[in-house]
Amino acid sequence: MSRIRNIVVLTGAGISAESGIATFRGPGGLWEGHRVEDVCTPEALARNPELVHRFYDLRRAALETVEPNAAHRALARLDRECPGELLIVTQNVDDLHERAGAARLLHMHGELQSALCGACGIRHGWTGALPPDMECPDCGSPALRPDIVFFGEMPYQMERIEAALAACDLFVSIGTSGAVYPAAGFVQLAEAYGAETLELNLERSAGSGWFGETRLGAAGVLVPAWVEAVLAEV
Ligand code: APR
Ligand code: ZN
């Protein structure tokens, strides 16, 4: 008896680790050399725009040197073949899910390859360097900034995420430490709505106690195996 699953997948930096993109809170983490409050807050942007713009310029440029890994490709396969509802909510700002072929995807913390106008709020695709005071192509204000949701700012598409969590029967978290809200609270929402919850992570996370099941290991191994099993069910 096939069982159509409505699935929400949350991904964090751990899914991109095997592609060579440093995570935030592991040894040698991305914030290494920078305190979060120096590069990922509105105050930091106002205080030292050159440092903040350069931090994201370097990360944007580094995208050219990395490739999606088996975990990204497995989620793209799930996207192609899953007959039920699927939403991949990524906290990551890299483009590896897209490059692997995922389509039912949203970036709740913004994207490196996008520039946000601080004056009119329009988001523009952006691949090169983004120095401070670049003029917005729409309103002309010298107010373009990295399109990254800073600490203290509202993540993107929260209503769409909450609606998907209410409708899903399976919530899967991949490669996230469960350190940052609201993403860290999605498992509790899903569980309250009656969904099954599964965590795939290298180590136990701050949220592990909320999951119905936690599997420990590398995303490049766990995610393809999980996708294979889910697709065999439907
Ligand atoms: N496979 C699976 N999980 C992994 C792997 C791997 N190869 N490598 C690391 N991990 C796990 C780590 O054990 C850790 O639990 O991925 C998690 C990464 O945690 P963080 O570095 O905290 O990254 P993340 O959870 O995505 O951070 C959330 O915080 O800094 C902000 O906005 C930023 O989106 C980010 C948010
Ligand atoms: Zn503008």
Side-chain angles (χ1 to χ4, degrees), residues 11-18 22-26 31 36 40 91-93 109 148-149 151 174-180 183 200-205 217-220 222:
T11 66
I15 200 169
S16 296
E18 290 157 83
T23 60
F24 291 100
R25 293 174 181 82
W31 298 125
V36 169
C40 196
Q91 299 174 89
N92 300 340
V93 293
H109 288 167
I148 301 296
V149 177
F151 284 92
I174 302 170
T176 181
S177 61
V180 175
L200 308 177
N201 208 56
L202 197 62
E203 58 198 350
R204 287 187 65 77
S205 71
L222 294 182

Side-chain angles (χ1 to χ4, degrees), residues 117-122 124 136-141 143-144:
C117 177
C120 70
I122 301 271
H124 303 272
C136 167
D138 270 68
C139 72
S141 307
L144 286 185

Side-chain angles (χ1 to χ4, degrees), residues 31-47:
W31 298 125
E32 193 97 331
H34 291 291
R35 293 177 314 143
V36 169
E37 52 273 26
D38 291 342
V39 287
C40 196
T41 63
E43 295 75 19
L45 182 64
R47 185 174 58 244

